[in-house]
Amino acid sequence: MAHPVILSIDDDPAVSRAVARDFRRRYGDRYRVVRAGSGPEALDTLREIKLRGEQVAVLVADYRMPEMNGIEFLEAAMDLFPAARRVLLTAYADTGAAIDAINLVDLDHYLLKPWHPPEEKLYPVVDALLEAWTASPEAATTEIRVVGHRWSAPSFAVRDFLARNLVPYRWLLADEPEGGRLLAAAGVSAADVPLVVTADGKALVAPSETELAGLVGLNVVPASDFYDLVVVGGGPAGLGAAVYGASEGLRTVLVERRATGGQAGQSSRIENYLGFPDGVSGAQLTDRARRQALKFGAELLSTREVVGLAEAGSARLLRFDDGSTIAAHAVVLATGVSYRMLDAPGLAELTGRGVFYGSAATEAPSCVDQDVYIVGGANSAGQAAVYFSRYAARVHVLIRGADLTASMSSYLIDQLDRIDRITVHPHTEVVAGAGEEHLQRLTLRDTRTGERRDVDASWLFVFIGAEPRTEWLEGVVVRDERGYVVTGPDLVAGGSRPPGWSLPRDPYHLESSLPGVFAAGDVRAASVKRVASAVGEGAMAVSLVHRYLEAQ
């Protein structure tokens, strides 16, 4: 971590060098001594220091400077580093101004020039100021900072992206002092949020996910244009395929549109996954799988959306949304599924501003002592209810059916029954939402009687089934009526091979209607929608890839 800064400002180069020399002689082993030749130059320096998350201990400014005198500088500097100790250098004739500055800028001390010998006239003063500052220093920052508004959908999107990619960050509100200081340091207004500032001081305003990925060190550009295996999708099935593919010597790249982990990665706790008797969070499982894939040499490509797949001789060609392509001997489709949107008036406009799809765990601390509404009756909804019950005053689970037994694991139903803060509302659906800057009210309907009622609500989390989002595979591989990829024996169920099938054998178990393209996990038709089975299918797909490659 960088040493705290002592900043001196004087327009006289000789004096400036002398001040810096004396400071370095006594404090150079503990503090970084920086000097500037004018107030505006010093403010630019302070903005850079602020963006890098470093500390400023003492500011020493000459009173008589052109453009901006020392008092004006110290007053402006207070907005960036209010805890820094402030010293004014003055001539004897300016002592009146220095005394006035004690009230104007909360001046800690003024020093008469010249101050020699420094052991008597400079160091005792600065020693006392540093001792006082050290007793309550500003915290240095070594993580990414995000400045935004509480009910801003773009701000939520940035935070959710960082959280799902396991990137630590610090969240600051734009209307709070520290958030305002960062905005000032970056030269942007509160209307421009979200602002993202890295630990080394680089600032981005409202970055795209690709810009954000590059900013935090995620890989967004493939290292090659040809691989043995391309895995599309970074959920449990995709991560399983990447781990087994890379560990078995295949040059493997995993392409993920948003964040590894998929829906499982958003789960607060998975308790029925083999080998974790006390449960494991989706984030923990994702982190371990990512590190395992990287350990074996798999390449992980983030924020890249695949929009096309084509046969190119013996290779399979994948096209990204920016028009670029990569090719491989074989492909594993592991794109999983996405939550369906809740079709009710008023909700689309409030998405990211009180209405969320998936658990959005980053929002849980903000739900303290408030009511949370969860729509859905599957395991993901149950896990979210348990998690939010640690924070919320009450969690309301809304389901259209009579009970949870048809869609939720019994262990989760038992957990929900044991938590007093959770209430399950059967035969209930959301038919409307309303609010100004954020969600404020929901309209609920009893599916048996049609009776409606309004409830005050700021938090709605939706888990209402899923869709495979495989439109980009139209005409390339066979899909069922819901869009899931049909594989293996199901392709020859009628006794004939799929149209266009070019090989003398039948498709392998997880192979699609395009030879060398396999499907694993939730995107595959008739798959078991569980984390363990998805990981197993990812591993099985790699064994079938080997069989396919050996036969080529």
Side-chain angles (χ1 to χ4, degrees):
M1 187 178 297
H3 289 318
V5 171
I6 296 175
L7 177 62
S8 67
I9 308 97
D10 200 302
D11 64 313
D12 185 329
V15 175
S16 178
R17 287 194 295 270
V19 173
R21 179 200 62 217
D22 288 343
F23 280 148
R24 290 193 182 100
R25 184 177 297 162
R26 187 172 181 96
Y27 308 109
D29 60 331
R30 292 163 290 154
Y31 295 87
R32 185 161 67 91
V33 178
V34 179
R35 63 189 180 99
S38 70
E41 179 188 339
L43 286 176
D44 287 342
T45 300
L46 286 181
R47 292 187 187 101
E48 293 179 11
I49 292 171
K50 186 70 180 179
L51 292 175
R52 289 198 298 267
E54 298 177 14
Q55 303 164 298
V56 174
V58 175
L59 299 166
V60 181
D62 183 48
Y63 173 61
R64 288 185 178 272
M65 291 188 296
E67 297 183 76
M68 175 184 287
N69 67 36
I71 295 175
E72 292 169 337
F73 163 76
L74 291 173
E75 187 175 13
M78 287 174 64
D79 293 335
L80 294 170
F81 291 96
R85 303 298 166 172
R86 293 172 284 279
V87 179
L88 193 67
L89 296 179
T90 68
Y92 182 78
D94 298 321
T95 54
I99 292 171
D100 291 340
I102 291 175
N103 295 321
L104 182 63
V105 297
D106 194 22
L107 193 68
D108 292 292
H109 207 90
Y110 67 90
L111 288 169
L112 292 175
K113 299 188 293 186
W115 55 80
H116 294 293
E119 289 76 13
E120 295 180 13
K121 297 184 178 181
L122 177 65
Y123 296 150
V125 171
V126 177
D127 285 348
L129 294 177
L130 290 173
E131 183 178 351
W133 178 83
T134 304
S136 56
E138 293 179 291
T141 302
T142 58
E143 60 192 1
I144 288 173
R145 287 151 291 167
V146 179
V147 183
H149 295 304
R150 170 68 286 234
W151 298 112
S152 160
S155 297
F156 165 73
V158 166
R159 295 164 57 213
D160 188 56
F161 178 83
L162 293 174
R164 291 185 62 185
N165 281 285
L166 310 175
V167 178
Y169 70 92
R170 183 182 174 195
W171 167 239
L172 300 163
L173 292 175
D175 55 3
E176 290 182 342
E178 182 62 14
R181 286 191 282 270
L182 273 176
L183 290 174
V188 299
S189 71
D192 297 322
V193 298
L195 171 70
V196 179
V197 184
T198 63
D200 62 359
K202 186 174 182 180
L204 268 73
V205 178
S208 67
E209 288 189 347
T210 300
E211 290 174 323
L212 199 55
L215 189 72
V216 302
L218 298 176
N219 188 22
V220 298
V221 178
S224 174
D225 57 5
F226 196 92
Y227 295 85
D228 293 322
L229 173 65
V230 175
V231 180
V232 185
L239 287 167
V243 167
Y244 280 91
S247 69
E248 293 173 12
L250 298 177
R251 187 173 186 190
T252 303
V253 60
L254 182 151
V255 182
E256 170 54 44
R257 182 175 63 87
R258 192 151 193 269
T260 51
Q263 288 188 16
Q266 294 180 275
S267 175
S268 57
R269 183 154 293 274
I270 302 167
E271 297 192 63
N272 58 353
Y273 188 70
L274 184 68
F276 293 89
D278 298 320
V280 60
S281 74
Q284 290 172 320
L285 194 62
T286 298
D287 180 47
R288 292 180 182 187
R290 277 177 57 95
R291 288 189 284 113
Q292 198 169 15
L294 291 170
K295 166 190 169 184
F296 288 121
E299 185 181 334
L300 303 185
L301 203 59
S302 300
T303 66
R304 299 303 300 269
E305 184 170 6
V306 179
V307 297
L309 171 64
E311 188 174 8
S314 62
R316 301 295 174 259
L317 191 68
L318 292 154
R319 187 177 77 257
F320 295 123
D321 56 353
D322 64 356
S324 61
T325 61
I326 57 173
H329 291 301
V331 174
V332 172
L333 301 173
T335 51
V337 291
S338 301
Y339 288 114
R340 294 193 184 100
M341 303 293 284
L342 183 57
D343 186 16
L347 296 186
E349 300 87 340
L350 295 168
T351 300
R353 297 188 292 131
V355 178
F356 305 95
Y357 290 85
S359 65
T362 55
E363 300 302 295
S366 299
C367 299
V368 171
D369 298 330
Q370 301 180 56
D371 281 13
V372 167
Y373 287 81
I374 291 176
V375 178
N379 279 7
S380 54
Q383 291 160 353
V386 172
Y387 179 69
F388 280 101
S389 70
R390 304 174 193 169
Y391 302 89
R394 181 154 294 279
V395 177
H396 303 270
V397 180
L398 313 179
I399 58 173
R400 295 171 60 91
D403 57 43
L404 295 167
T405 55
S407 54
M408 189 177 293
S409 297
S410 61
Y411 82 90
L412 262 177
I413 297 174
D414 293 341
Q415 280 191 41
L416 267 59
D417 288 340
R418 292 195 297 267
I419 300 174
D420 293 337
R421 292 186 179 186
I422 298 177
T423 302
V424 178
H425 301 266
H427 307 293
T428 304
E429 64 179 358
V430 176
V431 293
E436 297 299 326
E437 293 185 353
H438 62 92
L439 177 67
Q440 295 173 301
R441 186 173 59 262
L442 290 172
T443 300
L444 309 181
R445 187 177 78 89
D446 189 308
T447 58
R448 297 164 299 180
T449 65
E451 180 183 353
R452 298 187 177 209
R453 61 188 176 96
D454 289 340
V455 296
D456 293 333
S458 295
W459 306 97
L460 176 68
F461 299 89
V462 182
F463 305 81
I464 54 168
E467 297 172 333
R469 313 287 189 193
T470 56
E471 298 86 355
W472 62 281
L473 293 169
E474 175 69 31
V476 180
V477 299
V478 173
R479 299 177 300 150
D480 67 13
E481 67 280 358
R482 293 185 297 167
Y484 292 93
V485 177
V486 181
T487 61
D490 291 335
L491 288 169
V492 294
S496 60
R497 291 168 183 159
W501 184 260
S502 58
L503 300 180
R505 61 168 176 82
D506 288 345
Y508 294 137
H509 182 65
L510 300 181
E511 195 170 18
S512 74
S513 60
L514 179 58
V517 176
F518 300 82
D522 289 359
V523 75
R524 191 178 68 82
S527 65
V528 179
K529 304 300 188 280
R530 288 291 184 268
V531 176
S533 62
V535 173
E537 287 193 5
M540 183 189 295
V542 171
S543 70
L544 296 174
V545 166
H546 281 293
R547 288 178 61 184
Y548 169 78
L549 294 177
E550 289 166 1
Q552 295 302 298

